[in-house]
Amino acid sequence: MVVLKTIEEIALMRESAQIVSKTLGMLAAEIKPGVTGLDLDKKAEAFIRDHGAEPGFLGLYDFPNSLCISPNDMVVHGIPNNTPFKEGDIVSIDCGALKNGFYGDHAYTFPVGEIDKDTQKLLEITKKSLYMGIAEFREGNRIGDISYAIQNFVEKENYGVVRELVGHGIGRTMHEKPEVPNYGRKGQGKRLQNGMTLAIEPMINLGTQKVKQLQDGWSIVTKDNKPSAHFEHDVAMVNGKPVLLSTFKYIYEALGIESDEEKEFMYT
Ligand code: MG
Ligand code: MG
């Protein structure tokens, strides 16, 4: 069942999403060679609690930490560890927060120092595909329109679209209906409507779409060990249009990046 939210509930959801956004912004300034995932996890947990929220992932399905940290060929669901990041790595960080009974869930893939050109392009195209998916979250469209927009865009680059993991509805539970695959057909699937709140999250591989799970029971990695990128926003439909609940602006402030990519989807 799809749970539609009122305007008041969407405002509360935005609060939770923005705590995650600020957490990612705080982490952006910390990510450099020598830093470990566990360092970031500790900082994130304290930061989330200082903002009056609970870490959304800690204990969820028995996940042991507050962040999912997935470097290089790891797609998602990495458990933070003591391995220092190196120059040239990419690190996907997925973070959740729970406040006022509502979840935020939002992710960004960070370069560590200078990265190679192919990987840089993977990050750019994956992030762009997220906004192309978001633009389809409009009245009159269906889930498949979001899915198709993402898949069509990234497959032009011969990238692999992960099939096993998908976006989702979000609200009083982290994962609600409907599923939001990053592959699909225009005009197919559930009709999109006002009050829907979705976590849209392309997971895109430089090489094969195929993935496998490591023995820790969590980490998902690419089968060819080529890099994978993951960007995620929480989005609501208001007045027939997509509105961002989360933002990358804190990350961009920390990294000195200029961007107007969110302008079209501003919450007012
Ligand atoms: Mg997430
Ligand atoms: Mg998610």
Side-chain angles (χ1 to χ4, degrees):
M1 187 186 70
V2 174
V3 185
L4 299 178
K5 281 79 176 180
T6 64
I7 288 294
E8 293 74 20
E9 288 171 326
I10 288 171
L12 291 176
M13 287 198 58
R14 180 169 181 264
E15 240 186 87
S16 304
Q18 293 277 314
I19 290 170
V20 181
S21 301
K22 287 174 186 165
T23 307
L24 292 176
M26 178 276 293
L27 295 172
E30 302 287 332
I31 295 168
K32 37 180 92 75
V35 170
T36 73
L38 273 175
D39 295 334
L40 299 184
D41 186 68
K42 271 191 217 114
K43 288 197 165 118
E45 180 174 354
F47 187 92
I48 292 166
R49 293 192 192 283
D50 284 349
H51 285 74
E54 298 285 323
F57 294 167
L58 186 62
L60 184 73
Y61 315 118
D62 290 327
F63 189 76
N65 292 84
S66 297
L67 299 176
C68 293
I69 299 194
S70 310
N72 301 320
D73 65 341
M74 201 175 283
V75 180
V76 286
H77 297 170
I79 299 173
N81 63 29
N82 268 321
T83 308
F85 304 143
K86 318 182 294 300
E87 177 85 17
D89 283 350
I90 57 169
V91 183
S92 299
I93 301 188
D94 197 347
C95 179
L98 173 64
K99 189 175 180 182
N100 301 313
F102 287 101
Y103 281 97
D105 172 24
H106 157 57
Y108 193 90
T109 301
F110 296 90
V112 182
E114 288 288 314
I115 62 173
D116 69 69
K117 276 209 180 87
D118 287 350
T119 308
Q120 180 62 43
K121 187 172 174 197
L122 172 71
L123 300 191
E124 282 162 18
I125 296 287
T126 302
K127 181 152 66 71
K128 204 158 180 201
S129 78
L130 166 60
Y131 290 103
M132 302 192 77
I134 289 170
E136 297 299 321
F137 184 18
R138 286 185 275 106
E139 196 144 57
N141 276 358
R142 292 177 180 268
I143 289 287
D145 293 297
I146 299 175
S147 306
Y148 173 83
I150 294 170
Q151 179 182 18
N152 180 53
F153 186 64
V154 303
E155 285 189 347
K156 283 187 193 146
E157 306 291 338
N158 288 318
Y159 293 159
V161 177
V162 175
R163 302 298 203 270
E164 287 82 351
L165 299 137
V166 296
H168 50 94
I170 180 166
R172 290 188 183 276
T173 52
M174 178 69 84
H175 299 113
E176 296 185 347
K177 294 284 172 201
E179 288 194 343
V180 187
N182 298 305
Y183 58 95
R185 288 181 175 184
K186 276 185 187 175
Q188 302 277 304
K190 224 173 235 331
R191 193 174 285 286
L192 301 170
Q193 45 184 322
N194 280 314
M196 268 187 170
T197 45
L198 302 179
I200 301 177
E201 50 179 318
M203 288 157 260
I204 308 299
N205 301 342
L206 187 60
T208 179
Q209 70 190 48
K210 295 205 171 98
V211 298
K212 62 183 179 193
Q213 188 170 50
L214 298 186
Q215 290 203 330
D216 62 16
W218 282 103
S219 313
I220 306 290
V221 298
T222 58
K223 264 203 170 144
D224 59 8
N225 297 117
K226 289 188 180 168
S228 181
H230 179 212
F231 291 86
E232 177 177 25
H233 267 312
D234 297 336
V235 195
M237 194 200 289
V238 179
N239 297 326
K241 296 203 177 82
V243 166
L244 280 174
L245 304 179
S246 54
T247 177
F248 292 144
K249 85 171 178 192
Y250 301 106
I251 294 172
Y252 295 160
E253 280 170 17
L255 301 180
I257 295 170
E258 298 270 343
S259 171
D260 62 359
E261 68 194 17
E262 297 182 0
K263 213 168 79 187
E264 220 184 306
F265 312 115
M266 286 292 244
Y267 180 96
T268 45

